[in-house]
Amino acid sequence: MKLAAAIDAFDSLMPYVLHLVLLYVSAGLFYFLYKYKSSGGGPNPNLPPGKKGLPYIGETLDFVLASRRGTPEKFVTDRTTKYSPDVFRTSLLGEDMAVFCGSAGNKFLFSGQNKYKALMDPSSVDNSSKEESTKLRAYLPPFLKPESLQHFIPVMDIMAKEHLNQHWSPYNEVQVFPLSKKYTFALACRLFMSVTDNDEIENFAKPFALATAGLMSVPIDLPGTTFNRAVKAGRLIRQRLLALITQKKNEILEKGKTVASDLVDSMLMDGMTEVEIGNKIVGFFIASHDTTSTAITFIVSYLSDYPEVYNRVLEEQMEVLRCKEAGEPLRWEDIRKMKYTWCVASEVMRLAPPANGSFREAITDFTYAGYTIPKGWKAFWMVHTTHKNPKYFPDPERFDPSRFEGNGPAPYSFVPFGGGPRMCPGKEYARLEILTFIHNLLTTFKWVKLNPNEKISYIPSPIPKEGLPIKIQPLLN
């Protein structure tokens, strides 16, 4: 148990480096791995410029430190300046890696060419099916298509009102980040599985929190470690999901149901198995829950920092409200009026992207920008190669929502949801969820930050270290 406690202590300090540091103690093994990886199966003079860093650990420490300091883009800009603006070589998490840069690099990796494969998505800590995880990104059920999601806007609106009334209204001070996570999880339970009972939501929320904590923990399955708890939680989630999915399948068969009321129904009617659905539901939860709650949190933060922007967004939302009857829920035509609000949300996601990027794995040797990427290497795209690059966004540190008016940024330069064939299937879901929540928040409360200088850390997504505490009061007071 002492070893488990020590591992967990490292977990909380430096999520990216932990298992590297532990394994580094076994110097002989590291040396062997390093020599083996360095050889790459033979000399290759056309590798991208860059360096591997320390044996096995590589440059992970530099990457983590930049992230923890709130400047993950520095890891990229230092290397693009020194080596190449197109692609550079590094080593992260013990893997040889090529980091593709700029809009051209993004377009190349998003193009779906048969040169690489997506790595297993973290749809479960205890996922034994790489094939099913890879299918997740390519699968877009009818439920998640814009024309279907439009019908769920009133549900999103009603749930946002209920959440604010229950968890915000009784208090003078709240923490935005944990509350936004609570809201997005409850909404996902309702829309994905028709789960609305608070106790049942908690039965999913608690193990889900343990499981997601394990995604960035030391991958050592010892009793008492974060990873061990995550594995157990992942199994529990699957058991509960399979039971729920089986129950819904029986109801469809018994009642002859033909119209899907949630995502599980949609996939069952599409002929998918219970196991397939369980895998994908967990993946959609991770994608829709953590990233959307992060985006909501930082929109609240930036609106607090920029009064002129706040006033313009407020006026847009009040105009929407004035066109509604008392108690009438939001609908698709109302969302379409929130153009400036989405420009603000987009600029927030440019500066504080909910996800850093993604890895892929080369399945064959291929050439990019004159350099050879060997089979087995990881190809890494990062939002930071373009989001704060003055080539695509002049004066990149300036908060300016007008960047997204008109034609907006250049293609493949703004990529919080990926792009092209690799576009996140939940993009429209996230957009509707964000806009609906922000509408209700702005038309209900006004707020000020309690700590304007709160530190932000990227682990790996941006997280306000104090949860973004704010003081609230009713808007009409």
Side-chain angles (χ1 to χ4, degrees):
M1 293 306 293
K2 289 184 177 179
L3 177 59
I7 293 172
D8 277 354
F10 276 112
D11 273 341
S12 62
L13 177 64
M14 206 169 285
Y16 289 102
V17 187
L18 303 181
H19 80 283
L20 307 179
V21 175
L22 291 174
L23 292 175
Y24 189 76
V25 175
S26 304
L29 175 61
F30 285 158
Y31 183 73
F32 169 78
L33 289 170
Y34 177 63
K35 295 298 289 182
Y36 177 78
K37 283 180 174 287
S38 294
S39 67
N44 193 334
N46 296 318
L47 294 177
K51 64 179 182 179
K52 287 175 61 69
L54 296 172
Y56 197 70
I57 289 179
E59 296 190 292
T60 309
L61 183 59
D62 290 342
F63 181 68
V64 172
L65 289 176
S67 298
R68 291 184 64 83
R69 290 167 181 160
T71 55
E73 68 278 0
K74 189 176 186 301
F75 179 85
V76 173
T77 54
D78 286 352
R79 285 155 183 78
T80 54
T81 301
K82 184 175 182 179
Y83 299 121
S84 167
D86 302 313
V87 60
F88 64 85
R89 177 192 188 188
T90 187
S91 176
L92 299 175
L93 299 172
E95 298 285 353
D96 284 318
M97 192 169 295
V99 179
F100 288 72
C101 305
S103 61
N106 291 338
K107 182 178 181 179
F108 182 82
L109 287 183
F110 296 154
S111 65
Q113 300 182 51
N114 296 322
K115 296 179 174 64
Y116 38 80
K117 61 183 178 181
L119 294 185
M120 182 166 56
D121 289 301
S123 58
S124 171
V125 176
D126 187 33
N127 190 354
S128 60
S129 175
K130 176 178 282 191
E131 181 182 0
E132 286 305 316
S133 298
T134 303
K135 287 180 182 178
L136 175 62
R137 290 186 181 274
Y139 179 78
L140 182 61
F143 179 88
L144 286 178
K145 293 181 178 179
E147 56 269 27
S148 297
L149 284 171
Q150 293 175 19
H151 301 295
F152 293 96
I153 294 173
V155 178
M156 293 180 173
D157 183 48
I158 291 169
M159 287 196 64
K161 286 179 170 63
E162 291 175 348
H163 169 82
L164 292 171
N165 184 59
Q166 181 179 355
H167 300 291
W168 294 58
S169 293
Y171 308 102
N172 295 321
E173 297 178 3
V174 296
Q175 287 180 299
V176 178
F177 187 55
L179 284 180
S180 65
K181 290 172 74 73
K182 189 177 189 74
Y183 166 73
T184 57
F185 192 85
L187 182 62
C189 284
R190 164 61 182 86
L191 296 182
F192 294 174
M193 308 182 299
S194 293
V195 172
T196 58
D197 180 77
N198 288 333
D199 291 337
E200 195 170 356
I201 291 172
E202 278 300 303
N203 284 338
F204 280 105
K206 289 179 180 178
F208 187 86
L210 292 174
T212 53
L215 294 175
M216 282 298 173
S217 67
V218 184
I220 296 178
D221 195 1
L222 292 177
T225 62
T226 297
F227 187 78
N228 178 263
R229 290 192 294 269
V231 169
K232 291 179 179 178
R235 291 172 181 157
L236 180 59
I237 291 170
R238 286 181 178 278
Q239 291 173 4
R240 291 176 177 173
L241 274 177
L242 288 176
L244 183 144
I245 294 166
T246 301
Q247 177 186 342
K248 292 178 71 64
K249 181 178 182 180
N250 292 336
E251 290 175 356
I252 289 174
L253 294 174
E254 291 171 2
K255 299 177 181 180
K257 193 174 181 180
T258 58
V259 178
S261 59
D262 55 42
L263 182 56
V264 171
D265 280 359
S266 178
M267 290 192 283
L268 282 169
M269 293 176 182
D270 223 20
M272 296 176 62
T273 68
E274 289 91 329
V275 173
E276 288 175 328
I277 294 171
N279 287 345
K280 289 175 172 59
I281 285 293
V282 176
F284 286 130
F285 258 103
I286 292 175
S288 67
H289 170 52
D290 284 350
T291 54
T292 309
S293 57
T294 298
I296 288 173
T297 299
F298 281 89
I299 292 170
V300 173
S301 177
Y302 275 91
L303 287 177
S304 180
D305 292 339
Y306 294 89
E308 291 183 4
V309 173
Y310 167 86
N311 288 334
R312 186 173 170 185
V313 173
L314 177 61
E315 177 54 33
E316 182 175 80
Q317 296 303 329
M318 292 303 293
E319 180 60 29
V320 170
L321 189 63
R322 284 191 286 267
C323 295
K324 308 293 292 182
E325 297 291 337
E328 182 186 358
L330 290 174
R331 302 195 182 279
W332 172 243
E333 55 269 24
D334 301 313
I335 297 294
R336 295 180 62 187
K337 298 175 182 177
M338 303 179 188
K339 294 180 180 179
Y340 183 71
T341 305
W342 186 243
C343 289
V344 172
S346 297
E347 178 70 343
V348 169
M349 288 187 286
R350 180 185 73 83
L351 291 168
N356 276 330
S358 183
F359 298 92
R360 308 195 188 287
E361 182 177 311
I363 57 177
T364 184
D365 291 359
F366 66 89
T367 301
Y368 179 76
Y371 301 108
T372 298
I373 313 300
K375 177 182 177 180
W377 270 39
K378 303 301 181 290
F380 190 18
W381 69 270
M382 300 176 69
V383 295
H384 307 296
T385 71
T386 56
H387 279 202
K388 291 190 177 181
N389 188 330
K391 176 182 177 180
Y392 307 103
F393 298 97
D395 194 6
E397 293 295 339
R398 180 169 56 90
F399 182 71
D400 181 8
S402 68
R403 301 178 196 271
F404 293 88
E405 295 177 330
N407 294 328
Y412 296 100
S413 62
F414 177 65
V415 289
F417 299 102
R422 301 288 182 176
M423 181 74 73
C424 172
K427 175 186 175 180
E428 184 64 9
Y429 173 87
R431 189 177 77 91
L432 298 180
E433 182 178 19
I434 290 168
L435 289 174
T436 301
F437 186 86
I438 293 301
H439 168 80
N440 281 281
L441 180 64
L442 277 164
T443 56
T444 306
F445 299 109
K446 50 187 175 182
W447 66 89
V448 293
K449 288 183 183 180
L450 291 177
N451 182 3
N453 299 313
E454 183 177 6
K455 299 293 184 182
I456 305 300
S457 185
Y458 284 72
I459 318 176
S461 299
I463 297 175
K465 291 190 175 181
E466 299 172 26
L468 187 58
I470 60 174
K471 184 176 181 179
I472 61 174
Q473 64 183 94
L475 177 66
L476 300 179
N477 277 7

